[in-house]
């Protein structure tokens, strides 16, 4: 659903992506090529917002401010003036789910073949937008309205991307790691870590690379409703990142582990238990505070009930909002975009609008 194009003059921005352009700002769409039209739910305008503002560590109402959204002709408040404590409490109660992860590949058909034949994913949908010179494919282990999925982006004529040192891997839960690795080898896939217990633990894992060099960790576990279970990113200050994702994103710290022998720490963050939900794995390597992110990995999309409140809480939590909340021109899907303290991008998408796009 969401695509951020790399900074290359030869690649044109597209309507079905988040894009950064001096002319038209940021745009996102998940429409099929045959139905690029307005949603029936129309958000016509947003007046001056009833702002959250940080003052003496409190979120207070700006004097005389007002926020409303016109929806099907009726004016309705989007947010209310609340304290900082109430704002952070709202984040915990907001209906949030990791929707999909977005990244770029050099040969879409080759990648689809690898993911479906070797990793057992299903091609959920595919769309080509020739006038914008890109193609998207959505793959996963279940429908997009209930599962965390992958969005692949192929930009015409671009056959290679820099994965970077900051991106770690995707995690896929399988019932038998050894059998999966044997299958991947038979299909000509690259295995970078043979099956065996994780260092310092008992979980059987293996590492493989897809045709573009993105790493996948295979984790041996029983049947799970969310086989696409992890996105691992490296950060420069683990405690800072944990605090940010708890406060700004409403995630829960599921577990934290220090491995002094191997000089790294990890924190699992998410919206539910690891065996039933996709989670974000944050990794801190001792002494490393910055990473090259490359131009292959793009972002994660997360659903929310209110993009306006989401943006203000992100600001309150010292995050940087890169796209102010509101409906996108022409499509009316409401989004907001931000970066975390390490510069990793996330887009929040209105839950109702997301389901309408899937229709």
């Amino acid at each position: 659903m969401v695509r951020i194009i790399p900074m290359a003059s030869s690649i044109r921005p597209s309507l079905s992506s988040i894009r950064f352009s001096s002319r038209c700002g940021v745009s996102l769409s998940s429409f099929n090529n045959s139905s690029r039209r307005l949603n029936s739910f129309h958000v016509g305008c947003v007046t001056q917002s009833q702002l959250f503002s940080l003052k003496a560590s409190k979120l207070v109402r700006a004097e005389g401010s007002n926020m409303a959204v016109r929806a099907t002709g009726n004016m309705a408040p989007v947010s209310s003036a609340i304290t900082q404590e109430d704002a952070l409490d709202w984040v915990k109660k907001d209906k949030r789910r990791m929707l999909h992860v977005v990244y770029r590949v050099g040969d879409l058909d080759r990648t689809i073949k690898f993911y479906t034949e070797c990793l057992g994913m299903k091609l959920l949908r595919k769309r080509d937008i020739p006038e914008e010179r890109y193609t998207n494919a959505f793959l996963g282990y279940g429908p997009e309205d209930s599962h965390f999925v992958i969005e692949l982006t192929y930009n015409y004529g671009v056959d290679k991307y820099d994965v970077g040192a900051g991106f770690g891997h995707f995690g896929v839960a399988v019932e038998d790691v050894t059998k999966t690795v044997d299958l991947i080898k038979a299909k000509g896939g690259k295995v970078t870590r043979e099956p065996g217990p994780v260092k310092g633990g008992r979980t059987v894992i293996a590492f493989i690379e897809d045709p573009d060099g993105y790493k996948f960790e295979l984790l041996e576990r029983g049947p799970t409703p969310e086989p696409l279970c992890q996105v691992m990113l490296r950060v420069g200050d683990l405690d800072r990142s944990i605090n940010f994702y708890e406060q700004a994103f409403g995630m829960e710290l599921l577990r934290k582990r220090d491995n002094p022998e191997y000089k790294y720490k990890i924190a699992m963050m998410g919206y539910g238990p690891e065996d039933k939900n996709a989670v974000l794995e944050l990794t801190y390597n001792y002494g490393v505070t910055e990473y090259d992110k490359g131009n292959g990995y793009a972002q994660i999309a997360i659903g929310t009930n209110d993009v306006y409140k989401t943006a203000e809480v992100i600001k309150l939590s010292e995050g940087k909002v890169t796209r102010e909340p509101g409906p996108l021109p022409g499509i009316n899907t409401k989004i907001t975009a931000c970066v975390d303290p390490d510069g990793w991008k996330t887009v929040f998408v209105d839950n109702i609008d997301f389901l309408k796009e899937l229709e």
Side-chain angles (χ1 to χ4, degrees), residues 77-248:
V78 174
S79 63
S80 59
I82 56 178
T83 66
Q84 178 184 2
E85 182 180 354
D86 288 341
L88 300 180
D89 183 60
W90 172 81
V91 172
K92 295 291 185 182
K93 296 177 180 178
D94 187 25
K95 188 177 180 182
R96 296 191 171 185
R97 180 176 71 85
M98 290 170 61
L99 304 178
H100 51 257
V101 61
V102 188
Y103 53 103
R104 307 172 187 94
V105 297
D107 185 325
L108 194 59
D109 291 336
R110 177 186 65 185
T111 305
I112 291 172
K113 180 179 176 68
F114 181 83
Y115 288 5
T116 54
E117 293 185 359
C118 296
L119 296 176
M121 293 185 189
K122 296 178 181 178
L123 175 61
L124 303 173
R125 58 189 171 105
K126 184 179 179 182
R127 62 168 178 232
D128 184 34
I129 312 295
E131 63 271 27
E132 300 291 344
R133 297 181 58 79
Y134 78 92
T135 306
N136 283 141
F138 296 78
L139 296 101
Y141 295 98
E144 292 176 63
D145 60 358
S146 58
H147 288 72
F148 184 57
V149 306
I150 285 170
E151 178 183 345
L152 302 175
T153 297
Y154 168 69
N155 292 294
Y156 289 12
V158 183
D159 60 7
K160 189 175 182 180
Y161 293 96
D162 176 14
V163 175
F167 170 77
H169 61 259
F170 304 110
V172 174
V174 299
E175 293 189 40
D176 191 319
V177 167
T178 300
K179 285 185 178 180
T180 304
V181 166
D182 289 342
L183 173 63
I184 291 168
K185 287 180 178 178
K187 295 289 184 178
K190 182 178 180 181
V191 176
T192 58
R193 201 270 201 189
E194 293 290 338
V198 65
K199 293 177 180 178
R202 292 181 292 179
T203 302
V204 176
I205 66 167
F207 275 92
I208 65 167
E209 285 187 8
D210 77 357
D212 289 273
Y214 293 101
K215 292 181 174 62
F216 282 77
E217 180 182 17
L218 306 178
L219 301 102
E220 190 163 282
R221 62 174 61 161
T224 173
E226 199 70 281
L228 182 60
C229 58
Q230 292 179 5
V231 177
M232 192 275 261
L233 303 174
R234 297 183 175 92
V235 298
D237 184 325
L238 190 60
D239 290 334
R240 179 187 65 182
S241 294
I242 291 170
N243 290 336
F244 177 80
Y245 281 97
E246 284 181 327
Q247 294 183 20

Side-chain angles (χ1 to χ4, degrees), residues 4 20 244-245 248-249 293 298-300 311 314-315 317-323 336-348:
I4 299 184
F20 293 91
F244 177 80
Y245 281 97
F249 285 24
K293 295 179 178 62
Q299 65 200 23
I300 290 174
I314 288 168
K315 294 174 184 177
S317 305
E318 300 183 358
K320 181 180 179 182
V321 172
T322 56
R323 200 282 186 189
T336 189
C338 70
V339 293
D340 75 358
D342 290 274
W344 294 113
K345 298 173 185 176
T346 300
V347 174
F348 285 88

Side-chain angles (χ1 to χ4, degrees), residues 301-356:
I302 296 175
T304 176
N305 285 341
D306 191 327
V307 297
Y308 300 94
K309 285 184 179 179
T310 293
E312 295 305 330
V313 175
I314 288 168
K315 294 174 184 177
L316 172 67
S317 305
E318 300 183 358
K320 181 180 179 182
V321 172
T322 56
R323 200 282 186 189
E324 290 295 333
L328 291 166
I331 357 176
N332 299 310
T333 295
K334 295 182 289 297
I335 70 160
T336 189
C338 70
V339 293
D340 75 358
D342 290 274
W344 294 113
K345 298 173 185 176
T346 300
V347 174
F348 285 88
V349 184
D350 180 88
N351 284 324
I352 293 176
D353 292 352
F354 177 70
L355 293 177
K356 287 185 177 182

